[in-house]
Amino acid sequence: MLLWASLLVLEAASKPVISLHPPWTVVFIGETVTLTCNVSHFLEPEKRRRFFWFLGRRKLGETPGSTLPARDSGAYGCQTQDSLPSDYVRLTFSSGLLILQAPHAVFEGDTLVLRCRVKRRETLTTVKYSWNEKVISTSSQSQDLLIPHASANNSGSYRCTGYLGKNNIFRSNSKIVRIQELFPQPRLKVTPSQPTEGGSMNLSCETQRAPERRDTVLHFIFFREHGGMLSDWSRSPELQITDIRRQDSGWYRCGVAAAQDIQKHSLPLQVSVQGVPVSGVLLETQPPEGLALAGKPLVLVCSAAAGTGDTTFSWHREDTGQSLGRERRRSRTARLEIPAVGGSHAGAYFCTADNGHGLARSAVLNVTVTGTPRDRSGLTASGAAGGLLSILLLAAGLLIYHRHQRKSGDGSPGDTARSPPTTGPGEAPHGRCQGQKDSPVELQYLHGNESVREGDLVYSEIQVIQLGHEGEGKSLGKILVANYIPSFNMCLLSHPTGQVPREYTESIGREAGGNLCKGSLQSQERRQTPKTATCIS
């Protein structure tokens, strides 16, 4: 409805066009030329329209129809009650013996027809046509001159010379012929004039048909200089380009073609795609609020509230200065995953985003790791029960070991402070810890002199060494045992080379309830350096 209303306004504001029959603007006196006032078909029906005619500034009156017979020289115009005045058409009624006739309106691509007529009812034997005082045609066969596919280069002053026999020569009037444009050179328009990355831009190829040729069908094409065509020929004068990038900046043109093999191209138009700097950078985690669970994944999500184009995201540790990774993508969000979180991952994190228009940084986010020896909230009921049983067995073994030491030591029942246990030839060591399955290991015990109380944190470290064929030892790793009293063992395995034998890893996972460290003697420490025992297998 709005489109229809806009068309009505456009056509109402347009001018009527006068056509002639016959099409000539120069005729002999006594002849008649019929003028027709052509208006747009979008206006009211003809039977309800009133036509007014003018000869120069003089109003000739109103006609019931759209035609007017003309017999006098002068400039004719017309108008309706709902239109603007038409352009004037000048007619000449000549008294000469020879006239040159040309159409009122000739457009590029048309065939220009010029006719040389003598007043008498005689036939000219020879006709010469001249253009800008140069003879361009001589013919004894026809009195008409046809110029196909006329262009602006054919505009100018024309005249004809007619011959009746050898002695009768007649010269016509001079006639100015102007070849009109079917449509002017198009103009390319871009909306918005400064498009931004990620948005869209509309290309419009603007031109206008001549009023006398409103029904001419036009086809349009769009292309980028040095970048090829953006569309095929179509009847749509517009083209929309979506999701534009900075690489889309450059020079653009459009073309218009008509069925008369008339093609015109716009001047090149430079388009600069604007980028929006990133802003509002935020670092978030999954799980949220930086609360990570030991052994579980932690995802660092870096996002920007604004920004266009390809963006480079980077993740960093503020406390250690470590760069964790970077990713470039056409999005305002990126993710970095830490597959398994450990205690070393606790700390301060931040991220940055840069799309080439400036770097933006997020606020610092503190990550805490739960489920470690200092956090018992993640323990299950079954784990607690197994841990308690492990500690009770460990305490019993410790008591029996101390008593044995008193009996086999230096004879002083009360001195158990600093002497390691002694064994006779061929005796098995008193302490055992389980390294590989069914493989006895020797425990070198470092005494502790504190008593263990409920709620204390107890550390032990066991180094596992496998003896070779020639007695050389090979370190298989270290087992760190941490206990709350009462609680259960949490055993962590490390290795100097970073390569832990699979059977030890499986053993830890299988016997984390306390069997792994069975036989190791605990020394009570409150969050201090752990005591050390060495197991030799």
Side-chain angles (χ1 to χ4, degrees), residues 302-379:
C302 190
S303 62
T308 58
D310 295 336
T311 303
T312 300
F313 295 90
S314 302
W315 292 265
H316 306 270
R317 287 281 298 266
E318 186 181 55
D319 48 359
T320 64
Q322 181 184 5
S323 178
L324 305 177
R326 57 191 294 136
E327 180 181 0
R328 182 175 179 85
R329 59 187 307 173
R330 191 171 180 78
S331 172
R332 292 206 298 263
T333 303
R335 300 156 59 95
L336 177 68
E337 180 175 345
I338 301 175
V341 176
S344 62
H345 292 108
Y349 293 75
F350 70 92
C351 71
T352 63
D354 186 6
N355 65 350
H357 299 287
L359 183 144
R361 170 177 164 163
S362 72
V364 174
L365 176 66
N366 289 314
V367 172
T368 57
V369 179
T370 60
T372 61
R374 296 194 178 198
D375 188 348
R376 289 172 289 171
S377 61
L379 303 181

Side-chain angles (χ1 to χ4, degrees), residues 64-119:
S66 61
T67 61
L68 175 73
R71 299 180 180 89
D72 298 320
S73 297
Y76 289 83
C78 72
Q79 185 178 3
T80 67
Q81 77 271 21
D82 51 7
S83 74
L84 298 174
S86 70
D87 292 331
Y88 281 86
V89 174
R90 180 168 293 279
L91 298 180
T92 301
F93 291 84
S94 175
S95 61
L97 296 176
L98 188 70
I99 60 174
L100 175 63
Q101 294 180 315
H104 163 60
V106 182
F107 291 90
E108 52 188 353
D110 291 349
T111 297
L112 173 60
V113 179
L114 300 175
R115 177 168 294 176
C116 196
R117 283 184 61 197
V118 64
K119 189 173 185 179

Side-chain angles (χ1 to χ4, degrees), residues 289-306:
E289 299 181 359
L291 301 178
L293 185 63
K296 299 295 183 180
L298 173 66
V299 180
L300 304 175
V301 181
C302 190
S303 62

Side-chain angles (χ1 to χ4, degrees), residues 51 96 120 194 411:
F51 293 89
R120 303 172 186 176
Q194 291 185 336

Side-chain angles (χ1 to χ4, degrees), residues 512-528:
N515 293 333
L516 176 67
C517 305
K518 181 178 179 181
S520 61
L521 298 179
Q522 312 295 311
S523 63
Q524 187 273 339
E525 288 285 349
R526 292 195 179 187
R527 298 165 179 81
Q528 297 179 5

